[in-house]
Amino acid sequence: MSSKKSPAPKKAKKEYTGWSAVIRDPRVILVLVLVALSLAAIFVPFGDREGFTNLQFGLDLDGGSWIQLELQSEVVTIGQGADVNVVAESVGKTLDCTVVPISLTKIEVQKSATVDELRAAVEAAGATYVGSNPGVGTDTADTIKRILESKLNSLGTSDVKVNTLTNMDGVTQFVRIEMAGVDLQTAQELVGTQGLFELRIVTTGNETAHVLYGDSVVSVQTPTQNPAGSNNWGVAFGIDNAGAEALQQACIYYGATTNPTAHELEMYLDGNLVYSAPLSSDLASSIAKNPVNSLYAGTGSGDEGKAQAQELEIHLRAGALPVQVQIAGSGSTSAVLGDYFKVVCLIAAIAALAAVALMVYLRYRTPEIVLPMIATNVSEIIILLGIAVFIQQLDIAAIAALIAVLGTGIDQLVIITDEVMHEGRVPSQALYLKRLKRALVIIMTSAATVIIAMFPLIIMDLSTLKGFAIISILGILIGVLLTRPAYGKVVMEIMAK
């Protein structure tokens, strides 16, 4: 006869209640971790930090200027059935400008023209004129944006935003440039003086002859030292084959290959001389034998030579802009006014938070509810700011979005609180979870409608309104997915005591 040993009783799992349960909840832990990471992102120094925090401010808070450029070009729609390449070539010859096809029924006329001129040119090409809109197609708009960004950033104005304003048809008529820390006059000089670039050669005395225009410049390098490691600066640039042949013929014809100092090459921007230098002996020997596509313009030594090289790079790039532009609008905010706006925005945010806290207290008159509500609201703002450090400049519109998140966040916390509480206490856990789920469904439905409403502001690229939409959507997602479910857990544990 054998005896059977009974199994040891299982150790009962310890149940936590109150604050002990709150701080062990995964949702609460995740929110606390994100708040800590966000505070580190905001305050721990990294990168080229200039202020007390790592937050990036827009020109209306940091001071700066904005300029809106109107593109002098037309997008023409033609009737179906015509060969768009043939029509583009014919219209280009008629209007004496560059015309590129951008779809099967649209051509881009890179010149400002009247409707009558466009209609006559299209009909002369054997096609039907349907309509036209001022502006350029997507590819040209991207090229203009890239050139402007490169040009402005090369001056050290790194805090530059270039936005193309595109309509629903994909036609871009305006480009908006925002430069923080740059006054309006300087901004207009940087942006508004771009124009026709021309390379000329000195013939006799002060007389010069045309060699090539900026459309022959196919590439421009950033300023470099030549030889590397020396203190001599200059800019390397490339020209196309037609430009290289024109340069060779001019240098040989006027004697620059045999007497370079008497026949310097001169660069003009809108008729103003921006650079002049003779051919080097090596380049003169090379051009005498073959066309040369790669050129290097030396500008001198030291800081002055480097500064002149940066200026020359801009002039070379400006000459390659595909369409002419004109300033359609401009404005500026001084640095002093920007600092004033920062203080006002901070006061407005604190006042909004205080008003929200007062209203919540008057409704519930229970600190155990009011404090978690305010803490939840503040944590959402901190996480939002932590994300904004990496993806978004804070301008007045973005600050308005933060305050809006503050208000809508409290609205949804009130919905959760009212839904789950009964006569000042929480019901049984099963009933509580059922009511919490119902409350979350309500706020998610509300959040979805707001996100859908904000989405067009992002895809339509409406300058500062885009920042408003981005902050609003991020705030809603953070609240719905993280902080508000965590708040529901906090309320249940605290009020169940």
Side-chain angles (χ1 to χ4, degrees), residues 132-203:
S132 62
N133 291 306
V136 299
T138 304
D139 290 343
T140 303
D142 290 342
T143 300
I144 292 173
K145 180 178 180 180
R146 185 173 63 254
I147 291 173
L148 289 173
E149 286 177 336
S150 176
K151 168 187 172 182
L152 296 172
N153 287 331
S154 67
L155 282 181
T157 51
S158 57
D159 199 6
V160 173
K161 291 172 63 178
V162 179
N163 294 313
T164 54
L165 307 183
T166 306
N167 64 24
M168 297 298 290
D169 293 332
V171 177
T172 301
Q173 184 180 2
F174 298 101
V175 177
R176 181 184 170 94
I177 304 168
E178 299 178 356
M179 289 174 279
V182 178
D183 62 83
L184 183 57
Q185 182 178 355
T186 303
Q188 289 177 335
E189 290 175 355
L190 293 175
V191 176
T193 57
Q194 54 193 303
L196 184 64
F197 175 85
E198 183 182 13
L199 180 65
R200 301 181 70 86
I201 186 170
V202 175
T203 54

Side-chain angles (χ1 to χ4, degrees), residues 448-465:
T449 58
V450 176
I451 291 174
I452 292 172
M454 290 291 172
F455 198 67
L457 295 181
I458 294 180
I459 62 174
M460 293 178 71
D461 204 1
L462 295 176
S463 188
T464 56
L465 291 182

Side-chain angles (χ1 to χ4, degrees), residues 6 21 23 42 74 83-84 91 103 108 144 148 185 259 289 312 314 318 321 323 332 391 407 428 432 455 481 488 493:
S6 60
I23 62 176
I42 295 170
E74 304 284 340
D83 187 328
V84 69
V91 172
S103 72
E108 179 185 286
I144 292 173
L148 289 173
Q185 182 178 355
N259 187 9
K289 300 174 184 175
L312 181 58
I314 293 171
L321 207 61
V323 300
S332 64
I391 67 169
S428 64
Y432 172 86
F455 198 67
L481 300 177
E493 294 296 342

Side-chain angles (χ1 to χ4, degrees), residues 134-472:
V136 299
T138 304
D139 290 343
T140 303
D142 290 342
T143 300
I144 292 173
K145 180 178 180 180
R146 185 173 63 254
I147 291 173
L148 289 173
E149 286 177 336
S150 176
K151 168 187 172 182
L152 296 172
N153 287 331
S154 67
L155 282 181
T157 51
S158 57
D159 199 6
V160 173
K161 291 172 63 178
V162 179
N163 294 313
T164 54
L165 307 183
T166 306
N167 64 24
M168 297 298 290
D169 293 332
V171 177
T172 301
Q173 184 180 2
F174 298 101
V175 177
R176 181 184 170 94
I177 304 168
E178 299 178 356
M179 289 174 279
V182 178
D183 62 83
L184 183 57
Q185 182 178 355
T186 303
Q188 289 177 335
E189 290 175 355
L190 293 175
V191 176
T193 57
Q194 54 193 303
L196 184 64
F197 175 85
E198 183 182 13
L199 180 65
R200 301 181 70 86
I201 186 170
V202 175
T203 54
T204 55
N206 295 326
E207 299 295 322
T208 61
H210 167 76
V211 178
L212 56 86
Y213 288 115
D215 56 359
S216 291
V217 179
V218 295
S219 64
V220 181
Q221 306 297 318
T222 56
T224 56
Q225 296 161 312
N226 187 26
S230 70
N231 203 24
N232 297 319
W233 290 87
V235 179
F237 62 99
I239 56 177
D240 58 17
N241 292 334
E245 291 178 2
L247 178 61
Q248 183 194 29
Q249 292 173 7
C251 289
I252 294 175
Y253 181 79
Y254 292 110
T257 53
T258 55
N259 187 9
T261 55
H263 304 283
E264 293 189 350
L265 294 181
E266 297 183 343
M267 298 180 188
Y268 291 83
L269 187 64
D270 284 340
N272 298 316
L273 181 64
V274 296
Y275 180 82
S276 177
L279 296 177
S280 67
S281 56
D282 292 342
L283 181 59
S285 299
S286 298
I287 287 183
K289 300 174 184 175
N290 297 297
V292 176
N293 296 88
S294 299
L295 303 172
Y296 185 85
T299 55
S301 60
D303 293 339
E304 184 178 355
K306 182 179 180 181
Q308 290 180 358
Q310 291 173 331
E311 288 285 340
L312 181 58
E313 180 198 3
I314 293 171
H315 295 320
L316 287 166
R317 292 188 187 280
L321 207 61
V323 300
Q324 295 292 320
V325 298
Q326 69 177 19
I327 297 178
S330 61
S332 64
T333 302
S334 68
V336 175
L337 190 59
D339 290 339
Y340 170 75
F341 285 155
K342 283 181 188 175
V343 174
V344 171
C345 288
L346 180 61
I347 294 174
I350 294 174
L353 185 63
V356 164
L358 176 63
M359 295 305 297
V360 172
Y361 179 77
L362 293 176
R363 179 176 178 83
Y364 296 105
R365 297 185 181 280
T366 306
E368 288 83 353
I369 294 179
V370 176
L371 292 178
M373 271 190 173
I374 301 304
T376 302
N377 235 207
V378 172
S379 66
E380 290 176 2
I381 300 301
I382 292 174
I383 295 173
L384 258 178
L385 291 176
I387 296 174
V389 168
F390 302 102
I391 67 169
Q392 180 66 41
Q393 282 188 342
L394 293 179
D395 49 24
I396 291 180
I399 297 295
L402 285 172
I403 295 176
V405 169
L406 200 69
T408 56
I410 280 293
D411 286 346
Q412 296 181 358
L413 295 179
V414 169
I415 292 174
I416 294 174
T417 307
D418 287 353
E419 190 69 24
V420 301
M421 291 188 63
H422 177 68
E423 295 181 352
R425 304 288 296 177
V426 296
S428 64
Q429 185 171 12
L431 182 56
Y432 172 86
L433 293 176
K434 181 179 179 181
R435 290 182 174 182
L436 177 61
K437 182 179 179 181
R438 186 165 60 191
L440 292 177
V441 169
I442 294 172
I443 65 174
M444 285 183 177
T445 303
S446 173
T449 58
V450 176
I451 291 174
I452 292 172
M454 290 291 172
F455 198 67
L457 295 181
I458 294 180
I459 62 174
M460 293 178 71
D461 204 1
L462 295 176
S463 188
T464 56
L465 291 182
K466 183 177 181 179
F468 178 88
I470 290 174
I471 294 294
S472 297

